[in-house]
Amino acid sequence: KANKKFASHRKLFLVGKDAPFSFVEAYKSLRTNLEFLSTTSNCKTILITSSVPEEGKSNVAVNLAMTLAASNKRVVLVDCDMRKSTVSRYMHISRSQAGLSNVISSRDISTLAGALVRMKEYNGIMVLPVGITPPNPTELLSMPIVEEIFSALQQGTVDGQENPIETIWNSQYYDVQDYLTLTNHLCTAG
């Protein structure tokens, strides 16, 4: 039996000049396909999730965000994995950094801009980290302000600019309720 205390902490493999050509091209192809889809549906939000741990959700989310940003798109990567905060760990964002849980708990949408972290070394994407780990992630994600957060990010007005923002929400769902809560907010705000 593997000891859960020593859980896997995989490294992030990034799209970049040292990455294999096929790896980079796979993300560019994904970006092109998403851009094609968004021209007909005006989709500005992507939810990457799974019920199975360690499938590479965070890796896909970070690399897709970087690939979108490389084509001069404004991108916010939202770490919704309130239990593990893998994106925040990959991006070396301190667990004490204000984030999504802080914005939700404050019930004040004006705190959103202060919680965004601009990652210059990752093509300038913005990250909304988890923030303080809540004792009740599902209940927190079901609060009405989450819809406001979705809307504010989609409108692109959170950082003083009024340009559209591509938003990637990364989440591990641990039960069906987590998934339903996030997709309900996504569909309502969109």
Side-chain angles (χ1 to χ4, degrees), residues 27 52 59 88 163 178 181:
Y27 281 101
V52 181
N59 201 323
S88 298
N163 300 328
D178 285 1
T181 299

Side-chain angles (χ1 to χ4, degrees), residues 34 43-50 57 60-61 64 76-81 141 150 154 166-173 178-187:
L34 290 170
C43 177
K44 297 290 179 203
T45 304
I46 301 165
L47 174 63
I48 298 174
T49 190
S50 170
K57 294 170 294 297
V60 168
L64 180 56
V76 174
L77 176 56
V78 181
D79 191 356
C80 286
D81 187 352
L141 289 172
F150 269 95
Q154 287 173 340
E166 308 286 329
T167 310
I168 300 173
W169 292 74
N170 182 66
S171 175
Q172 167 80 30
Y173 70 89
D178 285 1
Y179 174 76
L180 293 174
T181 299
L182 273 178
T183 55
N184 180 51
H185 286 305
L186 177 66
C187 293

Side-chain angles (χ1 to χ4, degrees), residues 60-70 75-77 122-123 125 168:
V60 168
V62 170
N63 281 297
L64 180 56
M66 289 178 57
T67 304
L68 286 167
V75 179
V76 174
L77 176 56
Y122 295 100
N123 291 344
I125 64 173
I168 300 173

Side-chain angles (χ1 to χ4, degrees), residues 11-49:
K11 291 195 177 250
L12 177 64
F13 189 66
L14 292 175
V15 169
K17 62 181 180 188
D18 296 332
F21 176 79
S22 59
F23 183 80
V24 175
E25 285 303 305
Y27 281 101
K28 287 181 178 179
S29 177
L30 177 58
R31 176 187 67 203
T32 301
N33 288 327
L34 290 170
E35 287 173 345
F36 177 76
L37 288 172
S38 72
T39 59
T40 58
S41 66
N42 198 24
C43 177
K44 297 290 179 203
T45 304
I46 301 165
L47 174 63
I48 298 174
T49 190

Side-chain angles (χ1 to χ4, degrees), residues 97-141:
Q97 169 69 40
L100 180 61
S101 64
N102 304 89
V103 176
I104 296 170
S105 297
S106 74
R107 294 182 174 92
D108 181 2
I109 196 71
S110 69
T111 62
L112 179 57
L116 292 171
V117 178
R118 184 168 300 278
M119 307 298 295
K120 292 177 185 161
E121 65 274 23
Y122 295 100
N123 291 344
I125 64 173
M126 291 179 281
V127 177
L128 180 58
V130 166
I132 303 302
T133 304
N136 54 350
T138 302
E139 290 82 7
L140 201 65
L141 289 172

